[in-house]
Amino acid sequence: MLTKMIETLKRNPRTIVFTEGTDYRILDAADKLTGAGILDVILLGTDEEVMASAKAGNYNIEKCTIVDPSSYPGTDEMAVEMAKLRKGKMTEEQCREALSKSNYFGTMLVKMGKADCLLGGAAYSTADTVRPALQLIKTKPGNKIVSSCFILVRGDEKIAMGDCAINIDPSEDDLVEIAIESANTAKIFGIDPKVAMLSYSTLGSGKGPSVTKVANATKKIREAAPDLAVEGEIQFDASVSPDVAGIKCPGSPVAGQANTFIFPDINAGNIGYKIASRLGGYTAVGPVLQGLNAPINDLSRGCTAEEVYSMAIVTAALSVPPEAAEEEEQVDMAELETIVRTVVEAYLAAQKLKK
C-alpha cells in the first residue's frame, strides 16, 4: 500500500511549505520526500543558511525550492492581500513586517495558492503555527473554530483524543464541533468512532458547570450528527471498561468501548494524552489541526525527522481536493483513508525498528 500511496500523490502533485527550512529534521524529510518524487517542497529561509545546514547534514535538497521571505519578489502583492484579509486589524506596513516571519509568510503562500499545505512547529510554538492559519486561511464553511486531535497508537490499537492542544475552555458549541471533527479525523486514521464526552460525572452522577456543559454538548451532537455514536457526559472508566459501563450506564452503545475521547477543556486533554503516551505506551501522532480551509499541521518541537516525514505525507494527502475522487486514477475518500493509515503504520514500524 505504501507504493500505491506514493503513486497516488505523484498523480496528484502537491506542494508543501516548511516554515523552518534550516532545521535538520526538516531537511532530512525534504531530502526523502523530493528524492522519491512524493512531494514538491518549499523551504523557507535564506539560500546561504538553508544550503549551509543541508551541507552540514549531507542532505540533498537540489529538488527543493528555497524561498527567502526577506527578498521574495512578491512581498508587496502578498502584503496587499494580507491587509485585505486583516482589514481594520493590520495595516499594509504591519502585514509586511509580519511577513518577514516564516510562519506568516508560509501561511500566505498557501492562501495565495503557491503551496497546497503547510507543516510547521519544529521551532515555533503551536500558537505561532495556528494564529496565522486562523487569521489568514480561516475556518472552512460550517466551522467556527480550529481544533486539534491526536491519534494514539499502541500495537494494533488506535484511539483519538481531542482537543488537547488548541481550545483552552471550549463552550458547548465548541465541544460539538470538536467532537464531530475529531470523529471525522478518527475515520481518516481507520477508527470507527465511538465518541465519549468525558467528565467527572456519568449521566448525572455529579453536578457542576462543566458537567452541564458536556451534557448539553452531547445532546447537541446527537441533533447535529444523529448517525454518530456518542455518549456523555461520561467518566473515563465507564467509557472504556465494560464492567463499569454495565453499572454506570447499562445499554449504552458507546460506554465500555469508546475509542474517540473528547475532553471538557485543554487541561484535561493535554494531561490525558500525555499520560496515555508516557505511561500507557501509546505513540502520539499529531496534533492534526481540524476545521481549516487548507491543511496546516503543527509539529512538536521535540519531533524527530521520521515524524516530520510522516506528518508531511499526512498533511499532503489531506490536501487532495474532493473533486479528484471523481477523476479516473485519482483517489477516492476510502483510498485516502487507507493512504493516511499506511503512512502512520509505516512510521510506527520504523519507530519499533529503532528501539
Side-chain angles (χ1 to χ4, degrees):
M1 291 304 299
L2 187 60
T3 300
K4 189 172 183 181
M5 177 270 297
I6 293 171
E7 290 174 351
T8 299
L9 291 176
K10 285 180 178 179
R11 290 198 302 266
N12 296 269
R14 302 286 96 188
T15 298
I16 190 167
V17 55
F18 287 110
T19 54
E20 297 113 331
T22 59
D23 190 288
Y24 77 92
R25 297 162 295 180
I26 301 297
L27 293 167
D28 186 295
D31 182 345
K32 293 173 182 174
L33 291 165
T34 56
I38 300 171
L39 290 174
D40 293 327
V41 170
I42 296 174
L43 299 169
L44 299 188
T46 67
D47 284 351
E48 295 79 7
E49 290 177 344
V50 174
M51 292 301 297
S53 295
K55 183 178 180 180
N58 197 30
Y59 301 117
N60 184 349
I61 58 168
E62 290 181 359
K63 296 181 180 179
C64 298
T65 300
I66 301 172
V67 176
D68 181 358
S70 66
S71 60
Y72 183 64
T75 298
D76 289 341
E77 177 189 1
M78 191 179 281
V80 170
E81 181 63 25
M82 183 173 168
K84 291 178 183 177
L85 294 168
R86 302 292 292 150
K87 187 175 181 180
K89 297 178 181 178
M90 294 178 74
T91 64
E92 269 188 43
E93 188 56 38
Q94 288 172 325
C95 290
R96 191 172 283 104
E97 182 179 349
L99 288 168
S100 65
K101 302 173 183 177
S102 62
N103 56 339
Y104 274 96
F105 184 87
T107 303
M108 279 303 295
L109 286 181
V110 175
K111 179 64 180 179
M112 298 182 73
K114 307 296 184 182
D116 299 293
C117 50
L118 177 147
L119 188 58
Y124 281 109
S125 69
T126 295
D128 286 335
T129 300
V130 174
R131 189 182 302 110
L134 275 172
Q135 294 174 346
L136 306 174
I137 301 297
K138 302 184 179 180
T139 55
K140 61 187 179 183
N143 288 69
K144 294 181 180 179
I145 62 169
V146 173
S147 61
S148 72
C149 181
F150 279 90
I151 304 298
L152 290 106
V153 186
R154 185 177 62 187
D156 294 330
E157 183 183 2
K158 286 179 282 188
I159 59 176
M161 291 185 171
D163 179 352
C164 307
I166 305 296
N167 294 283
I168 295 173
D169 186 18
S171 67
E172 289 178 13
D173 291 335
D174 292 341
L175 285 177
V176 173
E177 193 169 314
I178 291 166
I180 293 173
E181 287 293 327
S182 295
N184 289 336
T185 298
K187 290 178 184 177
I188 290 172
F189 283 86
I191 301 168
D192 181 16
K194 294 180 176 60
V195 180
M197 303 297 292
L198 296 177
S199 174
Y200 58 83
S201 168
T202 297
L203 302 181
S205 66
K207 304 297 180 184
S210 177
V211 173
T212 301
K213 177 177 76 170
V214 175
N216 289 343
T218 304
K219 293 176 184 177
K220 292 181 179 181
I221 293 167
R222 288 178 174 140
E223 294 172 359
D227 294 331
L228 181 61
V230 60
E231 187 62 87
E233 85 287 5
I234 187 170
Q235 291 164 286
F236 187 79
D237 57 353
S239 72
V240 297
S241 169
D243 291 339
V244 177
I247 297 169
K248 293 189 175 183
C249 40
S252 169
V254 171
Q257 53 183 324
N259 55 25
T260 302
F261 303 94
I262 307 303
F263 294 90
D265 59 43
I266 199 170
N267 278 311
N270 195 269
I271 292 167
Y273 103 82
K274 287 184 177 178
I275 288 174
S277 175
R278 296 293 179 175
L279 299 183
Y282 286 88
T283 297
V285 178
V288 177
L289 300 188
Q290 307 170 145
L292 288 167
N293 268 316
I296 290 181
N297 276 324
D298 178 51
L299 294 161
S300 165
R301 278 174 283 183
C303 65
T304 64
E306 290 85 357
E307 288 171 326
V308 176
Y309 176 82
S310 298
M311 282 303 295
I313 296 177
V314 168
T315 304
L318 293 173
S319 74
V320 176
E323 56 267 25
E326 300 174 5
E327 301 174 12
E328 187 176 0
E329 294 189 343
Q330 304 289 345
V331 294
D332 58 22
M333 291 310 294
E335 184 179 6
L336 179 55
E337 292 180 11
T338 302
I339 290 168
V340 178
R341 288 199 301 271
T342 301
V343 171
V344 176
E345 288 164 2
Y347 163 66
L348 293 172
Q351 289 293 93
K352 287 181 180 179
L353 290 174
K354 288 172 60 182
K355 292 181 179 180

